[in-house]
Amino acid sequence: MSNVTATEASQERLGLLRVLGPGHVWALGVGIVLVGEYMGWNFSVGKGGMIAGLVACWVAGLLYTCVAMIDSEVTSTVAAAGGQYAQAKHIVGPLMAFNVGLFLVMAYTMLEAANAITIGFLLDTVAGMLGHTGLNQKPFIILTILALAWLNYRGVLASLSFNLVITAFAFVAIIVLFLAVQFGASAVPLDFSAVTNEPLPYGWLGVVAALHFGLWYYLGIEGTCQAAEEVRSPARSLPFGTMAGIMTLLIAATLTWYVCSGLIPWEYLGNAGTPLFDAARVTGNTGLMVLLFIGTAFATTASANGCINDASRAWFSMGRDRYLPSWFGAVHPRYRTPYRSIVFLVPIALIFALGAPLDQVITFSILSGLLGYTFMTFNMVMFRKKWPLGTIKRGYVHPWHPLPALVLLVLCAATYFAVFLGYGTQLIAMLCFYIIASLWFHFWRYRFVKRGDQFTMPWPRPQGY
């Protein structure tokens, strides 16, 4: 009996390893998101034309800059695994925390599935170019998810060090394509005549509709928060890695729109599966085609890898706090990873990757992320109200409060409308899913939550409470 008790106590003491630095945080955030430059964003061009795609790029960039600023302040203070979930349970309450945890898991798992679909599509495209038509994509989709799950199972340092290398390569590939096209390496010159001839083929409503897929340029940068419990210095690493990440993505997104819109007709671009690779094919330069093939493969791999990391941390945190069965809150005794959460989420990603169209999977990911961003606006206001500046130590203080939160709320509302224009059924279905999940938590699971154990920050009593 005493041996059993000792074993349980030792399992309780096991925690995640603090082994990451700012570069790993950058690699986690940019690695998850950079695939948005390689695929998905171009559906915004199909919704409203080239100008609408550019407006969506910059408006979504503003939205995510607000997200990065807010996240950098709160997460550098609430340094716990689970990111926004951990923020919600400390600042708002259990029901909101449960929903935010689900938003995170669904957003990252759907993004992981979208990445696997893209890898299969890319390999099928290249095989067709080499004369091997009809490639079966499913084995490659399955192998991608299983291999990356295994890498995450074995340890976070190796997983995110791998992400750092391949993310940097994928980003450099975009820069090289831009410079090559600018300096005459393309057989086809840049042509922006569609900007003047058909600037807004579907009018201003098309611009609003384009916001839906404009989010794909940056979706997932908030995932840097999931590493809060595994970085050596959260107060320094998280703000630095997150803000450097959003600046990297703003540059990459603008260059991507410029090159693709100048080389590919907007009617084709709006439906392309791998737009940057297609742009390289248009140039007729074999070296650029190989480079962008590798860049696309690396970007999708890095994103899927980061998504497994982030989704498992959110699921693990909810299990550790008994929002889900505590079985999910286990840490591997050797690798110090949330191994049960990693394994549990694999079949969910496979179901969506093998059974749903790419645009539907992207939409589910965007909607889950959007619900999380809406929460951030209220979370930030409550955080400053309960613990004003000077009452607790912050690693970073974002400027102009509450303006970023208000801007974020307005842009989220506009994007909900944009999603409703094209995917109203999916929007309603997702809201119904989260309502049912909330009812399950409130009437059944909440009884198992130990409220006193989940508040881990040594903060003073909130002002006014």
Side-chain angles (χ1 to χ4, degrees):
M1 187 68 175
S2 62
N3 288 340
V4 173
T5 307
T7 303
E8 288 177 352
S10 123
Q11 289 287 339
E12 258 329 287
R13 287 195 298 270
L14 280 177
L16 303 175
L17 289 175
R18 291 193 176 275
V19 292
L20 305 178
H24 296 102
V25 175
W26 176 89
L28 177 60
V30 176
I32 289 176
V33 187
L34 196 63
V35 69
E37 274 63 28
Y38 280 88
M39 65 86 165
W41 68 269
N42 51 299
F43 295 146
S44 65
V45 175
K47 289 287 185 181
M50 286 171 56
I51 291 297
L54 181 61
V55 171
C57 168
W58 287 343
V59 171
L62 177 61
L63 184 154
Y64 278 92
T65 300
C66 294
V67 167
M69 291 168 65
I70 291 171
D71 262 349
S72 293
E73 175 170 335
V74 183
T75 309
S76 65
T77 312
V78 187
Q84 291 80 12
Y85 157 77
Q87 299 172 19
K89 76 174 185 177
H90 283 92
I91 299 169
V92 183
L95 182 59
M96 177 61 79
F98 173 77
N99 276 282
V100 170
L102 282 187
F103 299 158
L104 291 168
V105 172
M106 289 296 291
Y108 294 130
T109 304
M110 295 304 100
L111 178 49
E112 176 192 346
N115 291 321
I117 293 171
T118 302
I119 289 176
F121 177 81
L122 176 67
L123 294 175
D124 187 21
T125 302
V126 173
M129 292 170 60
L130 298 175
H132 305 285
T133 57
L135 180 73
N136 187 352
Q137 300 178 23
K138 290 184 178 179
F140 298 99
I141 291 173
I142 295 170
L143 283 172
T144 298
I145 292 175
L146 290 180
L148 293 175
W150 175 83
L151 182 63
N152 277 270
Y153 185 101
R154 292 295 298 266
V156 69
L157 183 60
S159 174
L160 293 190
S161 295
F162 172 67
N163 250 38
L164 180 59
V165 174
I166 62 176
T167 299
F169 183 97
F171 177 66
V172 170
I174 296 175
I175 303 294
V176 170
L177 178 63
F178 168 75
L179 293 175
V181 170
Q182 284 293 100
F183 291 103
S186 172
V188 177
L190 293 170
D191 179 13
F192 294 98
S193 59
V195 174
T196 54
N197 296 338
E198 291 184 283
L200 295 173
Y202 303 125
W204 286 102
L205 191 61
V207 175
V208 176
L211 287 177
H212 172 186
F213 290 104
L215 264 63
W216 201 246
Y217 276 114
Y218 314 96
L219 182 73
I221 185 62
E222 71 280 3
T224 55
C225 300
Q226 300 300 320
E229 209 168 301
E230 295 167 278
V231 293
R232 291 186 293 269
S233 175
R236 181 179 69 91
S237 298
L238 290 171
F240 182 85
T242 302
M243 299 307 291
I246 191 62
M247 287 187 278
T248 302
L249 293 168
L250 287 166
I251 294 169
T254 303
L255 294 183
T256 297
W257 176 91
Y258 178 82
V259 171
C260 291
S261 296
L263 291 175
I264 305 174
W266 75 268
E267 297 90 345
Y268 175 84
L269 180 60
N271 297 288
T274 52
L276 271 172
F277 178 61
D278 289 343
R281 292 171 62 189
V282 169
T283 66
N285 187 308
T286 304
L288 288 177
M289 280 189 276
V290 172
L291 178 68
L292 268 298
F293 164 73
I294 298 173
T296 304
F298 277 7
T300 48
T301 301
S303 181
N305 189 44
C307 286
I308 293 171
N309 179 91
D310 286 358
S312 62
R313 267 60 182 178
W315 199 257
F316 156 78
S317 299
M318 294 170 74
R320 186 172 59 180
D321 294 331
R322 299 175 184 265
Y323 284 57
L324 296 172
S326 57
W327 186 82
F328 292 114
V331 175
H332 195 283
R334 178 180 176 186
Y335 302 123
R336 303 286 284 277
T337 55
Y339 65 110
R340 290 176 182 169
S341 297
I342 292 171
V343 172
F344 175 79
L345 293 173
V346 166
I348 298 174
L350 286 173
I351 288 170
F352 283 92
L354 297 173
L358 179 60
D359 64 331
Q360 297 276 3
V361 175
I362 289 175
T363 297
F364 286 151
S365 182
I366 287 173
L367 284 173
S368 296
L370 197 59
L371 288 165
Y373 308 146
T374 306
F375 145 76
M376 283 184 195
T377 62
F378 304 104
N379 183 62
M380 187 66 237
V381 172
M382 291 182 67
F383 182 53
R384 284 285 186 97
K385 182 180 178 182
K386 288 184 173 182
W387 294 280
L389 297 180
T391 57
I392 57 175
K393 184 179 179 181
R394 288 163 162 84
Y396 169 81
V397 177
H398 83 271
W400 309 311
H401 176 77
L403 184 59
L406 296 175
V407 171
L408 178 57
L409 183 61
V410 170
L411 294 180
C412 284
T415 310
Y416 282 121
F417 179 66
V419 174
F420 181 77
L421 291 175
Y423 294 82
T425 303
Q426 287 82 351
L427 176 60
I428 294 170
M430 287 291 285
L431 291 176
C432 289
F433 166 76
Y434 286 118
I435 289 171
I436 293 170
S438 297
L439 292 173
W440 172 82
F441 176 77
H442 178 75
F443 289 108
W444 172 252
R445 189 67 211 175
Y446 183 62
R447 72 184 72 179
F448 300 104
V449 175
K450 294 183 178 179
R451 293 203 59 176
D453 292 346
Q454 61 179 309
F455 300 104
T456 56
M457 302 307 299
W459 293 346
R461 189 174 182 83
Q463 290 197 6
Y465 292 84

